[in-house]
Amino acid sequence: MKRCRKTALFLASGTGVILLDTSSQSGSDKQTESARSFLPQPSNGICARLGDKWTIEVIWRLSLAEKRRLRFSDLKRKTDGITQRMLTLTLRNLERDGFVKRHYFPEVPPRVEYELTGLGAGILASLQGLNLWIRDNLPRIEESRQAYDDTGEQGNRFR
């Protein structure tokens, strides 16, 4: 009995799923298909990290640093609304994931600077693509939100 392996392909438009039977494709066909298609990968928390309230803004602020590093106090001052605790947690998580490098200087008072690593700088191109998509589609998204809000459906969903 021949076993078939099915792979789900999520369309970029978000309109549906196509099941692909990849068991009968040749190796070169599989490589070509995977190069052209968006195949979701297990994120191991990376998508959640990038989707939290402060991570992308902190990465963006660090990318704008003139001398490639920012002191903690400068980063806090430039990131409007973030608390010291949230900045600390965000930076620790970014450091743990390898996006940010922490430089500690044992002075009085101690000085701590942060900079993007190669991995952290590498995510900027993807974030730029997402940012361009948001810019291009924001009017349609706002129209959809307004239409949804005007119908009053959100309050009737679970009744």
Side-chain angles (χ1 to χ4, degrees), residues 70-155:
L70 274 180
R71 293 184 70 164
F72 182 91
S73 57
D74 292 334
L75 193 51
K76 184 176 180 318
R77 186 174 57 255
K78 292 178 180 188
T79 310
D80 190 35
I82 195 168
T83 64
Q84 181 170 334
R85 175 163 169 67
M86 282 311 303
L87 180 57
T88 299
L89 290 173
T90 300
L91 287 166
R92 281 183 187 163
N93 287 327
L94 287 170
E95 183 180 11
R96 180 175 181 256
D97 289 340
F99 291 110
V100 168
K101 181 158 175 66
R102 179 179 187 265
H103 300 275
Y104 175 77
F105 301 92
E107 304 169 346
V108 178
R111 180 170 47 114
V112 180
E113 297 178 345
Y114 294 88
E115 71 176 321
L116 288 178
T117 62
L119 188 63
I123 193 86
L124 291 171
S126 294
L127 292 175
Q128 180 182 20
L130 179 61
N131 193 49
L132 292 172
W133 181 89
I134 291 170
R135 185 194 68 199
D136 292 346
N137 291 285
L138 190 56
R140 291 175 48 203
I141 293 168
E142 289 173 342
E143 287 173 16
S144 294
R145 287 176 176 175
Q146 188 62 49
Y148 182 85
D149 292 346
D150 290 347
T151 63
E153 287 295 317
Q154 66 277 10

Side-chain angles (χ1 to χ4, degrees), residues 9-72:
L9 172 65
F10 294 87
L11 300 177
S13 64
T15 58
V17 175
I18 300 171
L19 291 178
L20 301 174
D21 180 0
T22 59
S23 61
S24 62
Q25 293 178 340
S26 71
S28 62
D29 289 343
K30 288 180 186 179
Q31 289 173 352
T32 303
E33 183 65 31
S34 67
R36 291 185 295 139
S37 302
F38 169 71
L39 296 174
Q41 299 295 314
S43 68
N44 297 320
I46 300 301
C47 290
R49 171 96 58 243
L50 293 174
D52 75 20
K53 184 173 181 178
W54 298 109
T55 296
I56 290 179
E57 186 165 353
V58 169
I59 290 172
W60 175 61
R61 293 287 177 191
L62 288 170
S63 75
L64 297 176
E66 291 178 18
K67 296 180 182 177
R68 309 300 300 158
R69 291 185 186 178
L70 274 180
R71 293 184 70 164
F72 182 91

